């Protein structure tokens, strides 16, 4: 029993211990569990986009989160959510981007243009907004002004107007004489679209027009003629053709300030920024177009007033413009995520920089935060949330915006339970742009390991006011520890939001609650904290603040009117809520130019303020007073006092003698305090001498601060004074300023003399140069040229004004020996230099260490002319965010040896879009980084080849020549296009006899891309043909070349006619020659007889063999008939790939015997293609034959062979049924057959790419040609190659085996390995139809009596079989042979 009791006691102790440990663990976990912040931010935000009407557009957006369910992306347009469920034109891509299949935009319907914003939502968590992006659509091409006919003197400048909308300027280009005009430093396109031609030459004369392209529809302006005139030497007044205009630009962009001046002598143009001469810097500040100023990569320091000054020896003019630099918003301090408890006060900080100053607004979970008693905007940009409640959890976003852009950043607020401790240190950042932290000054709760205090006692309000209450209390009855701290929770009655105030030190038992509302009831409760945690709460104490003292409201209808230049009359009405008698009013007024506010007491409700400054803005406000004090102020009213005549004269009047007859006056406006209004002009009075009374008046209108007084007398002293004008009158004049004209004009027929002295003062990086002018003051000096360099003065050259007497050469190397020269120059040239040398002082501080070059340079090809270059910078933090003043320089060049010039561009981001590249060109890129005086070396290079694009120029150097001894054959040659933009895969030759015919009516002949010459056969004699060539690559067709005209010869040089009755044509071909048979040459006669007898013997043997083997199965006949019926014509030149014509051809139009062992054509790159022709002179068969069905069938077959309308069905390939089956059939080439097309097997078929074309003009008296096969000489061991035929355009559809009626030469270019080539034979024309029909009847009777021929046994070896022929075909061939033999007999019997 004792043991059993002991065991029970031990078990009870163990259970108690385990229970205690488990409870403690639960408390510990509960006190420290704070779930982490949710990573939720935008990885890609939409950017401002310019879209083209009718083209697709994309607004990018993507959000990141770690939740299982990805964020839902929605889009807002102009602040309203878009409904895209049934929208077929706009949709959201899987990554969240908004895609437009085609942008819609018209004058009255602009559904796509507007401001877009991406909204990402996590279910049951929050929503965040992206930055806003503007989608603009390029408008319809319209010209506000168009180029007009103009003239320009050689060496002068001219402007061709072409004003378009600013969004269309990037799509505008210029043409001269319908050819694209390449811009340069001399030919500049202004931001308005106008073209500036400076330093004009005779080559600039021509027709100019501007075009707007690639914006859905293209439009061109009117053409205007620009004529050049020789310089006459007569003086022309300086005038502005284009003046600079004020403009606002964003940092990092570029600006072009136009300034174009015309006149003679040619003016020298310089620019001033403020009152300082602006110097050019290579790659950033550059003068273009004779005087326009271009500044790249703008910075805030570039802002200011720019003045263009143009001057020559006779006059000076100037114009001003203001450049405003805008800086997009940038975060100086981003809002940070916060942990907090309920009832606490928190602050989200958000500090932003930019110009103009950005406006800031806050958004919570996608809803705008409206300032209230508990949500306050403090320090203009921070968000304060008072008395947190659980519903305040979520994501808060700070959105900053100005005219240059907008940005956003978000932070999360998590409200923990009171028994969960606030994290004691900041958790790790969730994004590169945020630093999360707990509320400053917050204290975490300890784990509930011990007893907590009871409720504080005797909570009372010891002091109650209108705006604050002071509470006191006594310690809890059960404190359970020392050094208690207290928290006071309070809330407005009927408001659930509760706020908390903590005591400042342990043991303190009073607190003052401030910023309360007057006459409002509040509830207060107090609780204590010890080391174990938060204790019990006291009972709620209900206290009401005191009512506010009753002061007057604002005085309504405050009005201020300026009655004189120094006084303003004011009036107002009595406050609607006076709360008693109004004792006095206090009038507050502020000089806006100074900013100090002053006040004056007034008894009534009106007052006239005197003694004010003229033409100055003042603000006024009124406050009413009663016995309780000052009331509510009115809103400020701003008024400007009236202008008056100037009270001060112009400043800094100077008189510069120009020559013997003119003096230039310059001055500055009166001080602002003395202008008393807008200056409208200046009056200039001058007189001879200083005591003369006769004065002459000149007026300078506008803000021009100079005036050239001319037509003066030589060697005479004049006195001048200037006064300013306003609309009210003329102000006081300056003191008299005297100047004397020269006795005679200065000499400019020779260069100036050497400057009389040159002094240098070296510094570390600078050398100060000073000088005195040449001693001979009678020679005009236009300016001075300063040249300097280390060891040689020719490294750098600077030109300064003739009035300048010193200059500081900057950016020099320390401890270096520089040689400096100074020369005076005028329009005749530079004078004799004066030399000086100096050694710069040593550098006192070490040179900065070079930076690390960028790494990971990548070149991503985007299109045929754009490559995106990106890189990483190891000197940046992991976020790769550029926050300092560093910038990157990207340089690139092509691999073309003739073009090794580097091009460069600067950027402040880690990528750069290089545009304007050439298609299909390999480019090499490298990057360097610069920060202040430190710079890196160039990075490793990256390469990228731009995509191909269609050729932009046509083949060049197109020539057409006639082939020797072949008047109907021409050879066309050409060179590849200069702008192929890719590998040329083929050429298309168009030719026609009508140069004005539509392109689709021209005959088309395709050629592969590696050929630069081509033959075209069977052209009509004495006919003019026109040829064009078009190149193509993998991207499409290029433009057509200009038409080249060629006329074929009138005759084919026929020999003497044969004997009477001969059926040979006059042209016996190259074999017979000009001597012909009629020359009596017996030697040639014997050769002809031998060849003729041999050919006749071969034909007789073939016919006999065929008649023996005529018998075939009906199945084979049906297959052959089907094969023949499927033969048709094709719209393009060439023949089907598998056709195999025989080695011996008989041409019906000329007799041409070509030996079979003749070598192939010497030029393997040539191709031969006959021109399609039609037969139009076929005599129809006699109608009497129609009674015989057999003859009628043959007649129809013959008509089918001579029809002159080409078939549009393609020519099918030969089938097995078309092969011979009798042993006596004609043997073909065992390795392959010759084809009528002479294109090599490398040539692809272009039939699918060519347009349908019609036949060329028919060749007169053309007859259908028939051919037959003879046994071929066995081929050698050399292999033969089949060549695919090009598309064909035959005019005669053949029945039976496919033939080539117009091709004599049958050797393919691809058969160069053969030992023998086919022999072409020309025979007389076929007999007329009636005669042929009669012969066919005779042959049919013979064929009917012949026995059938047995079929041969099948063979295992693939020996090619010769072609077979139908009886009606052979009868036709027999008729032809009969005529041939008669001709041969006539030849042999001729005397």
């Amino acid at each position: 029993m004792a043991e059993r009791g002991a065991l029970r006691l031990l078990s009870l102790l163990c259970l108690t211990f385990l229970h205690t440990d488990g409870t403690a663990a639960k408390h510990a976990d509960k006190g420290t569990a704070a779930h982490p912040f949710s990573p939720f931010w935008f990885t890609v935000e939409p950017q401002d986009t310019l879209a083209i009407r009718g083209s697709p557009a994309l607004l990018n957006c993507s959000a990141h989160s770690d939740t299982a369910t990805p964020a839902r992306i929605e889009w807002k347009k102009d602040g309203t959510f878009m409904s895209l469920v049934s929208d077929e034109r706009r949709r959201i891509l899987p990554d969240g981007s908004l895609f437009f299949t085609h942008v819609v935009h018209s004058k009255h319907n602009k559904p796509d243009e507007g401001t877009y914003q991406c909204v990402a939502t996590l279910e049951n968590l929050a929503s965040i907004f992206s930055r806003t992006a503007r989608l603009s659509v390029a408008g319809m091409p319209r010209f506000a002004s168009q180029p007009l006919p103009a003239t320009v003197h050689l060496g002068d400048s001219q402007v061709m107007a072409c004003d378009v909308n600013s969004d269309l300027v990037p799509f505008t280009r210029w043409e001269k004489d319908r050819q694209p005009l390449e811009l340069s430093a001399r030919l500049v396109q202004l931001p308005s679209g106008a073209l500036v031609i400076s330093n004009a030459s005779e080559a600039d004369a021509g027709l100019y027009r501007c075009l707007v392209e690639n914006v859905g529809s293209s439009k061109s302006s009117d053409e205007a003629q620009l004529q050049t005139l020789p310089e006459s030497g007569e003086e022309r007044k300086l005038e502005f053709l284009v003046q600079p205009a004020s403009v606002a630009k964003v940092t990092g962009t570029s600006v072009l300030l136009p300034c174009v001046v015309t006149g003679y002598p040619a003016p020298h143009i310089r620019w001033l920024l403020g009152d300082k001469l602006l110097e050019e810097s290579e790659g950033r500040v550059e003068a273009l177009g004779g005087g326009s100023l271009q500044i790249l990569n703008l910075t805030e320091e570039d802002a200011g007033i720019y003045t263009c000054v143009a001057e020559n020896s006779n006059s000076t003019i100037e114009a001003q413009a203001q450049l405003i630099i805008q800086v997009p918003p940038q975060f100086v301090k981003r809002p940070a995520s916060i942990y907090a408890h309920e009832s606490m006060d928190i602050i989200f900080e958000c500090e932003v920089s930019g110009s103009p100053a950005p406006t800031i607004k806050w958004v919570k979970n996608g809803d705008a935060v409206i300032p209230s008693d508990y949500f306050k905007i403090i320090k203009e940009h921070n968000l304060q949330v008072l008395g947190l409640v659980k519903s305040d959890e979520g994501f808060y976003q700070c959105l900053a915006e100005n005219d240059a852009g907008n940005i956003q950043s978000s932070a999360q607020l998590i409200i923990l339970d009171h028994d969960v401790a606030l994290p004691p240190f900041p958790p790790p950042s969730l994004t590169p742009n945020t630093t999360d932290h707990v509320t400053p000054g917050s204290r975490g709760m300890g784990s509930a390991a011990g007893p907590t205090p009871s409720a504080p006692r005797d909570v009372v309000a010891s002091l109650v006011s209108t705006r604050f209450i002071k509470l006191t209390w006594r310690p809890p009855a059960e404190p359970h520890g020392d050094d208690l701290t207290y928290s006071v929770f309070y809330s407005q009655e009927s408001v659930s939001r509760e706020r908390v105030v903590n005591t400042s030190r342990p043991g303190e038992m009073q607190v003052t609650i401030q910023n309360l509302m007057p006459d409002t009831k509040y509830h207060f409760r107090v609780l204590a904290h010890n080391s174990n945690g938060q204790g019990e709460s006291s009972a709620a104490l209900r206290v009401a603040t005191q009512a506010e003292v009753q002061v007057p409201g604002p005085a309504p209808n405050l009005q201020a009117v300026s009655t004189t230049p120094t006084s303003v009359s004011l009036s107002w009405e009595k406050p609607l809520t006076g709360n008693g008698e109004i004792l006095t009013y206090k009038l507050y007024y502020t000089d806006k130019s100074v900013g100090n506010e002053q006040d004056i007491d007034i008894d009534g409700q009106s007052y006239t303020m005197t003694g004010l400054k003229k033409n100055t803005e003042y603000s006024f406000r009124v406050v009413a007073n009663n016995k309780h004090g000052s009331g509510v102020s009115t809103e400020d009213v701003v008024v400007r006092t009236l202008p008056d005549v100037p009270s001060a004269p112009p400043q800094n009047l100077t008189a510069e003698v120009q020559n013997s007859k003119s003096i230039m006056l310059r001055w500055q406006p009166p001080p602002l305090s003395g202008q008393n209004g807008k200056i409208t002009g200046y009056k200039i009075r001058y007189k001879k001498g200083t005591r003369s009374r006769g004065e002459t008046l000149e007026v300078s209108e506008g803000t021009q601060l100079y005036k050239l007084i001319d037509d003066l007398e030589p060697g005479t002293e004049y006195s001048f004074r200037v006064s300013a004008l306003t609309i009210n009158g003329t102000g006081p004049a300056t003191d008299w300023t005297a100047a004397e004209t020269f006795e005679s004009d200065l000499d400019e027929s020779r260069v100036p003399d050497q400057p009389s002295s040159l002094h240098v003062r070296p510094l570390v990086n600078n050398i100060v140069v000073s000088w005195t002018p040449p001693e001979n003051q009678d020679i005009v000096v236009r300016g001075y040229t300063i040249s300097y360099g280390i060891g040689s003065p020719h490294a750098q050259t600077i030109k300064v004004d003739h009035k300048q007497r010193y200059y500081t050469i900057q950016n020099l190397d320390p401890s270096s020996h520089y040689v400096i020269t100074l020369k005076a120059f005028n329009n005749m040239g530079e004078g004799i230099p004066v030399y000086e040398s100096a050694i710069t002082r040593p550098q006192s501080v070490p040179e900065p260490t070079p930076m690390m070059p960028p790494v990971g340079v990548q070149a991503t090809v985007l299109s045929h002319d754009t490559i995106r270059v990106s890189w990483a910078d190891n000197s940046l933090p992991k976020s790769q965010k550029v926050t300092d003043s560093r910038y990157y320089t990207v340089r690139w060049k092509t691999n073309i040896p003739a073009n090794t010039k580097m091009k460069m561009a600067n950027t402040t981001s880690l990528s750069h879009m290089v545009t304007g590249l050439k298609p299909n060109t390999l480019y090499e890129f490298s990057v360097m980084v610069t920060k202040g005086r430190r710079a890196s070396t160039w990075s490793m290079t990256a390469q990228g080849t731009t995509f191909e694009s269609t050729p932009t120029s046509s083949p060049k150097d197109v020539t057409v020549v006639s082939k020797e001894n072949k008047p109907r054959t021409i050879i066309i040659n050409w060179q590849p296009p200069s702008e192929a933009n890719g590998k040329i895969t083929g050429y298309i030759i168009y030719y026609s006899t009508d140069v004005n015919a539509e392109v689709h009516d021209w005959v088309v002949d395709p050629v592969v891309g590696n050929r630069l010459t081509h033959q075209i056969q069977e052209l009509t004699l004495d006919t003019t043909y026109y040829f064009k060539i078009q190149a193509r690559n993998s991207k499409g067709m290029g433009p057509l070349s200009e038409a080249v005209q060629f006329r074929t010869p009138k005759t084919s040089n026929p020999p003497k006619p044969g004997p009477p009755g001969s059926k040979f044509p006059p042209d016996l071909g190259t074999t017979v020659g000009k001597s012909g048979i009629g020359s009596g040459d017996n030697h040639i006669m014997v050769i002809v007889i031998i060849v003729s007898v041999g050919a006749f013997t071969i034909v007789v043997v073939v016919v006999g063999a065929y008649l023996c083997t005529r018998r075939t199965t009906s199945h084979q006949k049906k297959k052959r008939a089907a094969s023949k019926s499927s033969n048709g014509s094709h719209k393009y030149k060439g023949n089907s790939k598998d056709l195999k014509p025989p080695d011996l051809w008989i041409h019906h139009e000329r007799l041409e015997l070509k030996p079979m062992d003749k070598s192939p054509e010497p030029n393997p790159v040539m191709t031969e293609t006959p021109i399609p022709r039609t037969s139009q002179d076929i005599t129809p068969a006699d109608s009497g034959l129609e009674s015989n069905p057999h003859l009628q069938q043959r007649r129809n077959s013959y008509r089918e062979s001579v029809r002159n309308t080409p078939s549009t069905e393609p020519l099918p390939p030969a089938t097995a049924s078309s092969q011979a089956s009798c042993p006596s059939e004609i043997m073909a080439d065992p390795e392959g057959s010759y084809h009528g097309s002479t294109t090599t097997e490398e040539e692809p078929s272009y039939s699918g790419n060519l347009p349908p074309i019609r036949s060329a003009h028919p060749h007169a008296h053309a007859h259908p040609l028939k051919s037959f096969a003879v046994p071929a000489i066995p081929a050698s061991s050399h292999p033969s190659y089949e060549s695919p035929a090009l598309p064909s355009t035959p005019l005669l559809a053949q029945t039976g085996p496919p033939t080539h009626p117009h091709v004599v030469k049958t050797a393919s270019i691809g058969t160069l390995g053969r030992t023998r080539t086919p022999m072409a034979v020309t025979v007389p024309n076929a007999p007329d139809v009636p005669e042929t029909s009669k012969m066919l009847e005779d042959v049919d009777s013979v064929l009917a009596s012949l026995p059938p021929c047995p079929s041969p046994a099948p063979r295992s070896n693939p020996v090619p079989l010769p072609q077979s022929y139908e009886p009606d075909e052979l009868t036709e061939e027999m008729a032809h042979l009969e005529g041939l033999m008669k001709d041969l007999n006539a030849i042999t019997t001729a005397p």
Side-chain angles (χ1 to χ4, degrees), residues 1092-1242:
S1092 302
V1093 172
F1096 178 76
T1097 304
I1098 292 172
V1099 171
V1100 171
V1101 172
V1102 171
V1103 173
Y1106 175 80
L1107 296 178
C1108 291
T1109 61
R1110 182 174 177 271
R1111 186 175 183 180
T1112 59
T1113 63
S1114 60
H1115 177 67
Q1116 291 171 327
K1117 290 182 179 180
K1118 291 179 181 179
K1119 290 178 67 178
R1120 286 197 299 271
S1123 174
K1124 287 182 287 183
S1125 64
S1126 65
N1127 291 335
S1129 59
H1130 196 279
K1131 294 194 72 176
Y1132 298 101
K1133 296 176 64 66
N1135 297 286
S1136 181
K1137 178 178 180 180
D1138 298 325
L1139 299 184
K1140 301 179 179 180
D1143 290 333
L1144 180 61
W1145 296 82
I1146 298 182
H1147 199 290
H1148 283 228
E1149 291 187 346
R1150 59 185 179 183
L1151 179 62
E1152 183 174 345
L1153 299 177
K1154 295 187 178 180
M1156 297 183 68
D1157 58 349
K1158 183 179 179 180
S1159 61
E1161 283 296 319
N1163 188 357
V1165 301
M1166 295 185 181
T1167 59
E1168 296 180 352
T1169 307
I1171 184 168
R1173 299 179 298 169
T1174 61
S1175 298
Q1176 298 181 354
D1177 59 346
I1178 302 301
T1179 305
D1182 188 79
S1183 60
L1185 298 175
E1186 295 179 359
S1187 61
N1188 189 332
H1190 184 63
L1191 295 181
Q1192 179 67 27
Q1193 179 182 0
R1194 290 198 305 248
R1195 172 188 172 186
N1196 293 339
S1197 175
Y1198 188 78
R1199 284 181 176 176
E1200 178 67 17
S1201 68
V1202 298
R1203 62 185 179 184
N1204 56 8
T1205 303
S1207 173
T1208 59
E1209 297 179 0
L1211 184 66
T1215 62
S1217 62
S1218 64
Q1219 303 297 323
S1221 61
C1222 272
S1224 59
E1225 287 177 349
I1226 304 160
M1227 293 296 294
D1229 186 357
E1231 296 297 326
S1233 296
Y1234 293 103
H1235 288 216
S1237 171
T1238 59
T1239 308
T1240 67
E1241 63 180 356
E1242 297 175 354

Side-chain angles (χ1 to χ4, degrees), residues 1352-1385:
R1355 293 175 295 180
S1356 58
N1357 295 332
V1359 179
L1361 297 178
Q1363 263 181 319
S1364 63
Y1365 295 85
E1366 288 295 308
D1368 52 348
E1369 296 177 83
L1370 282 176
T1371 54
E1372 289 183 24
E1373 300 300 336
M1374 290 294 296
H1376 300 332
L1377 289 174
E1378 184 179 353
L1380 174 62
M1381 294 305 301
K1382 291 180 180 179
D1383 294 336
L1384 291 176
N1385 291 332

Side-chain angles (χ1 to χ4, degrees), residues 61 95 123 226 287 328 473 490 509 525 631 642 773 800 882 930 957 985-986 1000 1098 1223 1230 1267 1297 1345:
C61 180
D95 65 345
E123 297 298 337
L226 177 65
W473 58 88
Y490 66 98
M509 289 179 290
R525 62 187 182 90
L642 296 176
V800 297
V882 179
T930 304
D957 300 334
T985 59
H1000 58 264
I1098 292 172
S1267 63
S1345 63

